[in-house]
Amino acid sequence: MLITFIVTVAILAVLYLLIYICHKKIAKPNYEFSTEAIKSLRVFVHILFGISFSVIAAEIIICFFWENRTALWVIFGIFLFFAILELAMLCDIYINYEAINGDEVYIHRFFRIKKIKVNDIRRIGNIGSLLMGFYGKYDKCLFLVDLNTKGVSELIGLINERKSDKSDESLENKHKFTNKKIKGASGDKFKKIFIVCTCFMILGIAFMLPLLGILGEEQNYDELIPITGKLEYYRETTGSGYIAIGFYDMPTEYRLCSIYLDEFDYSFFDKVKAGDSVTILVDNSKDREFSLRDVSKKQWNDFYYLEAYGKEYFTYEDYIRGRDRNNKVGFIFVVVGTAAFVAATVTLISAYFVCKKRKKEEDIVI
């Protein structure tokens, strides 16, 4: 797990630097005019990547004292997905753009540059509230541009100036939604806010995932049930992170959760062998079913104490310490996630009512 986290952090850092270096060092062709992503979007994506990268990097340290391997892998997987997505967005921001030079329009996309004559563009029109379509003969879509792109209005203006037959529709689109009095301006604004707030709400929910691991009820020592039996086997799993033991003539396997492994005395594996008498404490919860190759038992449950021949390898006090440490780390994530989720929710609700009010003031029809 630790090696995976370190290698992933290194790869993400290298990819991020490569994107940044390529953007700064590779010379951009000398066009008369070219579009680019708006600054707020660039900053937003960099911040999102920084958050995802920081969480993955922090797990390198967290994994030393938070032994809930399942939660660590879940958080790692979620933020790795977001980090890859955000790197792809950065590539799109820096590599994809539109430019004009003379009577030709250049469409820069991944691995290719498309060149279109200005006079081949017959019509320009909106596709929903986020995209602008540029159409040619027989109303074929030649290329699409995000309406949030910086310079899209200027690009349309230059195309219209150099076309042999200027269209009214393209002129209208040049200034669409630039004035909040225009019909549809508030709806367009709300959709953009909705996308940003939704991203932060998803991040907030991801940060609140540790809440699943800290809401469990604390076991009362006086209510625990002692079980003594002859040890049949023991094993420690590396994936989900737990220690399991099985007794002869008992159908249930008993496990110690990963969050308590720091307190477990690993000399148990050296001093206790199959056939030795072992005592554990369990609760009265119902056994859960499982199936593993080379394991005959099909049910499992937790144990909270382990002793053999008078030596305690895991005590109730160890259980309390491990639980408290896990809860403290979990609460940090939960607080951050809750704050992000609540802030995004409040912003979204406020934006809804503000945009709804502004919609009533829209009186310019294009």
Side-chain angles (χ1 to χ4, degrees), residues 202-228:
I202 293 173
L203 286 174
I205 292 173
F207 268 84
M208 288 190 285
L209 285 176
L211 187 65
L212 300 175
I214 63 178
L215 287 180
E217 182 181 356
E218 182 177 306
Q219 300 298 327
N220 190 324
Y221 181 79
D222 296 330
E223 295 177 356
L224 295 177
I225 304 167
I227 294 179
T228 301

Side-chain angles (χ1 to χ4, degrees), residues 78-264:
I78 291 173
F79 283 95
L80 177 60
F81 169 78
F82 281 119
I84 294 173
L85 179 62
E86 287 141 13
L87 286 175
M89 292 174 67
L90 286 175
C91 286
D92 177 76
I93 287 172
Y94 290 130
I95 296 176
N96 294 353
Y97 64 91
E98 299 76 34
I100 189 168
N101 196 38
D103 64 344
E104 292 180 328
V105 178
Y106 297 83
I107 317 301
H108 285 251
R109 296 295 184 259
F110 283 109
F111 308 116
R112 69 189 183 95
I113 301 175
K114 187 176 183 180
K115 186 167 63 174
I116 300 172
K117 289 289 185 181
V118 168
N119 286 334
D120 289 338
I121 301 174
R122 304 294 181 87
R123 182 174 71 87
I124 303 174
N126 282 52
I127 300 178
S129 60
L130 297 177
L131 294 175
M132 181 73 73
F134 293 74
Y135 300 88
K137 192 175 181 180
Y138 306 119
D139 213 33
K140 178 184 177 182
C141 184
L142 301 175
F143 64 96
L144 298 175
V145 178
D146 190 331
L147 280 172
N148 294 319
T149 301
K150 182 180 178 181
V152 68
S153 297
E154 291 85 345
L155 177 67
I156 293 173
L158 290 171
I159 291 174
N160 286 328
E161 289 176 5
R162 301 176 189 194
K163 280 173 58 176
S164 58
D165 56 342
K166 214 158 167 193
S167 68
D168 291 338
E169 185 175 357
S170 61
L171 286 175
E172 292 167 358
N173 285 321
K174 178 179 179 181
H175 299 287
K176 193 167 188 179
F177 300 144
T178 57
N179 190 322
K180 65 181 180 180
K181 295 288 187 179
I182 296 175
K183 289 286 186 181
S186 59
D188 180 71
K189 184 72 172 179
F190 179 74
K191 288 178 181 178
K192 296 173 183 176
I193 295 174
F194 177 82
I195 293 173
V196 175
C197 289
T198 300
C199 291
F200 275 97
M201 291 170 73
I202 293 173
L203 286 174
I205 292 173
F207 268 84
M208 288 190 285
L209 285 176
L211 187 65
L212 300 175
I214 63 178
L215 287 180
E217 182 181 356
E218 182 177 306
Q219 300 298 327
N220 190 324
Y221 181 79
D222 296 330
E223 295 177 356
L224 295 177
I225 304 167
I227 294 179
T228 301
K230 298 294 184 181
L231 184 67
E232 180 182 356
Y233 65 85
Y234 53 72
R235 72 174 189 280
E236 180 181 11
T237 63
T238 55
S240 52
Y242 63 85
I243 290 175
I245 63 174
F247 295 116
Y248 287 109
D249 302 322
M250 293 187 189
T252 303
E253 175 181 280
Y254 295 97
R255 299 177 180 178
L256 184 66
C257 180
S258 61
I259 64 176
Y260 308 117
L261 297 186
D262 279 351
E263 281 72 33
F264 181 75

Side-chain angles (χ1 to χ4, degrees), residues 337-357:
T338 302
F341 183 84
V342 171
T345 302
V346 171
T347 301
L348 187 61
I349 294 174
S350 301
Y352 171 78
F353 287 106
V354 170
C355 291
K356 186 177 181 181
K357 181 181 178 181

